[in-house]
Amino acid sequence: MADAKGGDSAKDKKAEEEAKAKAEAEAELKREIELEYVQWAKRRRSLERRVGKLRPSKIAALVKVKKKSGVKKTRLTHDLRRSGVNSLVKLEERVVLPRATDVINTALEILRTEGIHELEWLTLDFMDAFKQLLVALNEQKY
């Protein structure tokens, strides 16, 4: 029985939203397994025989909905800091992306020095780009 403030209906709605989010996350995981981005086994031991001792990480599903089209995209992210994987990474150099002001200043400089009155801009977004990178067998446990 719901209280005067609609307590049960709010709980039901939250439970429904959580179930929907879980289904979306599971669908994305299934897609990644089918595309062979993820190795899957019913038992941890069988994966460890393949790649060595595993470092399990918590996974979160981020759902983004494009405002204009309503297209929904679910991305799985791994908490590599909490699992300790980040502390094992050795970086030779750090990639620094340009700041927005750097891009604008460069564009203004091109317009000024090249005598151009118009620039064309292009944005590329590659689906699953990061997952296209092969990972060495001895690194797959992470």
Side-chain angles (χ1 to χ4, degrees), residues 13-52:
K13 185 175 180 179
K14 183 177 180 182
E16 184 180 313
E17 288 172 1
E18 287 175 356
K20 188 175 179 181
K22 182 179 179 183
E24 289 169 352
E26 288 174 349
E28 179 61 15
L29 180 60
K30 182 180 178 187
R31 185 185 79 82
E32 290 194 6
I33 291 168
E34 288 170 356
L35 291 170
E36 297 181 357
Y37 297 154
V38 174
Q39 292 184 42
W40 187 263
K42 289 185 179 181
R43 304 213 186 285
R44 181 177 174 163
R45 261 190 236 164
S46 59
L47 274 179
E48 287 186 336
R49 276 191 294 253
R50 228 181 294 166
V51 299

Side-chain angles (χ1 to χ4, degrees), residues 37-117:
Y37 297 154
V38 174
Q39 292 184 42
W40 187 263
K42 289 185 179 181
R43 304 213 186 285
R44 181 177 174 163
R45 261 190 236 164
S46 59
L47 274 179
E48 287 186 336
R49 276 191 294 253
R50 228 181 294 166
V51 299
K53 188 170 191 262
L54 299 174
R55 284 225 177 220
S57 298
K58 286 192 173 194
I59 298 174
L62 303 176
V63 179
K64 184 178 181 180
V65 180
K66 290 188 177 182
K67 290 180 183 177
K68 289 183 181 179
S69 65
V71 172
K72 189 183 290 187
K73 177 159 186 171
T74 304
R75 293 186 180 183
L76 300 179
T77 61
H78 305 259
D79 189 345
L80 300 179
R81 184 182 311 155
R82 192 175 288 175
S83 65
V85 172
N86 281 354
S87 65
L88 302 171
V89 174
K90 305 287 185 252
L91 294 175
E92 299 294 322
E93 63 183 73
R94 184 172 165 239
V95 176
V96 180
L97 298 174
R99 297 179 302 231
T101 55
D102 295 335
V103 173
I104 292 167
N105 288 333
T106 300
L108 291 172
E109 183 68 21
I110 291 170
L111 290 170
R112 193 170 38 254
T113 61
E114 300 296 324
I116 300 171
H117 300 293

